[in-house]
Amino acid sequence: MRIEQIRSFISVYETGSFTAAADKLYTRQPVITKHIVQLERELGCPLFTRTTRKVAPTRAGDAFYEKAREALLLLDRGIAEVKALEETMRTSLHVGYVYLYMDSLTTAWSREFAQANPDAHISISEASFEKVIEGLTDGSLDCAFLGVTSENLIPAYLGRTLILQMGEIIVVGKTHRLAGRGHVTAEDLLTENFVYPTQKPTSVNSIVMKDFEDRRRTLHSTVVQFESSAMKLVEIGAGIIDLPAKSPVNTEHVACIPYDSDCVISYYFVWNRGNEKPLFTRFRDYISTEAETAALVPRGNPLP
């Protein structure tokens, strides 16, 4: 039993005519006749009585009509929902990032792209590095912005565009013992207590963490619920925090000191190479063009 047979049956039932049913379905009368004959053969009984003057449903036809109409309604509704879902998927873009690595630069680029594509549904969500990689792999994320201390941390099967390279800064209260320093190293921070909002970074995305790990030293830290809470603790001297050098610091009550290290953070736009969604392709090309135009990645030596 095929859907076109059911459509033909319902049209004949509702119009009382094979010819009118054919006109309604934009086909020829012999096609409608063939569909009804096939349906009657499969059901094992006649669905209509035919005379030279009219076509009338049999008792079997009446019984079948209600269920057939209900089934067709459900099928049509399902088809519409699938098409709507496909349209949403086609016009949606899911962007992931790890805390601190959706910086003011790429946030502005994403906003500008959204303004240029008002019919697109663009969502941006934060997750751990592991969850972002998982999302890129299983397709729940179209792309992501990641800062890493080594490119090797990004799986080889993912595409990537390098946006910029940068070091880190150490943010301390203005009365902190390090506040007047021109720069600091890991050795200067061994006894300090770091404070982080939401989650503690790792050696994957923090230069300080990587330097401590390489030295087999323990970094003392506290995790608080809000970014404002972390910065307030820094302001009063109850902790310090390390941030990517390009991160905006929205308070005048702290000092930002360059952190001296051989390591840099490489900030990437990353995607699944199998993603062929047209909207994603446009977004990827847009980000790549903006990064190239901004020329944030130096040719030769990386930024300290």
Side-chain angles (χ1 to χ4, degrees):
M1 190 176 299
R2 300 194 304 273
I3 191 170
E4 62 267 26
Q5 295 170 346
I6 295 176
R7 290 192 191 281
S8 293
F9 164 75
I10 290 175
S11 292
V12 172
Y13 187 97
E14 292 178 344
T15 62
S17 165
F18 281 67
T19 301
D23 292 341
K24 184 177 181 179
L25 295 177
Y26 300 100
T27 187
R28 295 176 296 110
Q29 182 268 330
V31 173
I32 300 295
T33 301
K34 179 180 178 181
H35 286 168
I36 299 303
V37 169
Q38 291 172 335
L39 197 54
E40 291 176 328
R41 186 180 299 132
E42 185 171 346
L43 293 173
C45 61
L47 297 172
F48 298 101
T49 58
R50 306 159 176 83
T51 68
T52 55
R53 294 184 177 181
K54 67 175 183 177
V55 175
T58 62
R59 289 181 62 185
D62 285 333
F64 186 64
Y65 172 73
E66 293 300 328
K67 298 300 181 184
R69 186 177 63 175
E70 182 179 342
L72 188 61
L73 180 62
L74 289 173
L75 281 170
D76 286 343
R77 187 177 299 162
I79 291 169
E81 289 178 358
V82 169
K83 287 183 176 180
L85 178 62
E86 177 62 25
E87 177 66 15
T88 299
M89 291 297 293
R90 189 178 66 81
T91 59
S92 65
L93 187 69
H94 302 285
V95 183
Y97 73 101
V98 179
Y99 174 68
L100 294 178
Y101 293 103
M102 185 67 183
D103 72 356
S104 57
L105 181 71
T106 44
T107 297
W109 291 347
S110 300
R111 187 183 303 115
E112 289 164 5
F113 181 83
Q115 291 172 348
N117 296 269
D119 295 333
H121 307 280
I122 302 176
S123 63
I124 300 175
S125 58
E126 177 190 352
S128 67
F129 179 83
E130 292 75 18
K131 286 295 185 182
V132 168
I133 295 299
E134 181 182 322
L136 291 169
T137 302
D138 65 23
S140 57
L141 288 177
D142 293 300
C143 51
F145 293 99
L146 300 174
V148 291
T149 52
S150 171
E151 183 181 5
N152 294 333
L153 294 165
I154 301 175
Y157 57 81
L158 295 176
R160 77 286 311 266
T161 291
L162 181 59
I163 295 176
L164 62 87
Q165 290 178 309
M166 57 186 158
E168 282 189 339
I169 55 174
I170 305 298
V171 183
V172 302
K174 288 199 170 180
T175 60
H176 192 278
R177 67 179 183 87
L178 298 174
R181 298 282 294 271
H183 64 86
V184 293
T185 67
E187 302 302 322
D188 298 314
L189 306 175
L190 295 178
T191 61
E192 295 294 331
N193 180 60
F194 287 75
V195 57
Y196 297 108
T198 309
Q199 60 183 333
K200 182 179 177 180
T202 69
S203 58
V204 170
N205 50 29
S206 166
I207 297 175
V208 169
M209 283 286 187
K210 185 175 189 315
D211 285 349
F212 269 65
E213 185 177 281
D214 290 346
R215 289 167 170 78
R216 293 186 172 85
R217 303 300 294 265
T218 300
L219 185 145
H220 305 285
S221 65
T222 301
V223 176
V224 296
Q225 190 171 1
F226 303 109
E227 186 173 344
S228 58
S229 301
M231 198 56 69
K232 181 60 66 176
L233 290 173
V234 171
E235 290 178 3
I236 65 175
I240 66 174
I241 188 170
D242 58 303
L243 297 173
K246 299 291 183 179
S247 298
V249 178
N250 301 315
T251 174
E252 299 177 353
H253 305 297
V254 297
C256 299
I257 311 165
Y259 177 67
D260 191 6
S261 173
D262 293 331
C263 181
V264 296
I265 295 170
S266 296
Y267 183 45
Y268 287 95
F269 175 66
V270 184
W271 67 91
N272 189 317
R273 296 181 192 274
N275 191 338
E276 298 180 352
K277 186 188 299 184
L279 180 63
F280 159 72
T281 301
R282 295 203 305 273
F283 186 65
R284 181 193 62 197
D285 293 345
Y286 177 82
I287 294 297
S288 297
T289 299
E290 291 298 313
E292 184 177 345
T293 301
L296 294 170
V297 180
R299 301 297 178 259
N301 296 327
L303 292 173

